[in-house]
């Protein structure tokens, strides 16, 4: 099922509301890589958490999703809970 594939995927993944930036779900790899527990991040806004090195990146991601329908092979730098 999607839920099993999502939660056990080796890549860190998060599902967010495209318009509002609210984190709706994260997988186990995300918690390991980013340092946040599920409860610390679900329901929070990505700007409140300060995921992005550059806040304009999210807008570029949204624009690309709206234009192309998906994003592939794009490297994006994120900031972990511990500032790394």
């Amino acid at each position: 099922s999607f839920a099993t594939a999502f939660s056990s995927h080796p890549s860190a993944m998060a599902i967010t509301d495209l318009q509002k930036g609210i984190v709706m779900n994260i997988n186990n790899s995300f918690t390991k890589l980013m340092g946040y527990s599920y409860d610390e991040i679900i329901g929070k806004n990505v700007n409140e958490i300060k995921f992005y090195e550059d806040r304009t990146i999210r807008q570029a991601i949204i624009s690309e999703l709206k234009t192309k329908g998906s994003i592939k092979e794009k490297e994006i730098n994120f900031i972990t809970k511990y500032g790394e």
Side-chain angles (χ1 to χ4, degrees):
S1 76
F2 173 80
T4 302
F6 177 79
S7 66
S8 63
H9 198 281
S11 295
M13 293 191 281
I15 298 173
T16 63
D17 178 284
L18 189 64
Q19 300 301 320
K20 296 178 184 175
I22 303 298
V23 180
M24 299 165 65
N25 203 354
I26 57 174
N27 69 356
N28 295 332
S29 296
F30 184 96
T31 61
K32 290 176 189 170
L33 179 69
M34 297 296 286
Y36 293 97
S37 71
Y38 185 87
D39 292 335
E40 285 179 297
I41 207 160
I42 299 304
K44 300 271 175 46
N45 184 286
V46 295
N47 291 323
E48 176 184 357
I49 300 164
K50 300 178 184 163
F51 276 148
Y52 298 102
E53 220 172 44
D54 176 353
R55 292 180 96 175
T56 62
I57 292 170
R58 186 168 194 287
Q59 286 305 93
I61 291 168
I62 291 170
S63 294
E64 189 169 337
L65 281 171
K66 286 180 177 179
T67 305
K68 297 180 182 177
S70 66
I71 296 176
K72 296 180 182 177
E73 299 178 20
K74 185 177 196 100
E75 187 173 316
I76 301 169
N77 293 323
F78 293 98
I79 300 170
T80 68
K81 178 180 178 178
Y82 307 106
E84 299 172 329

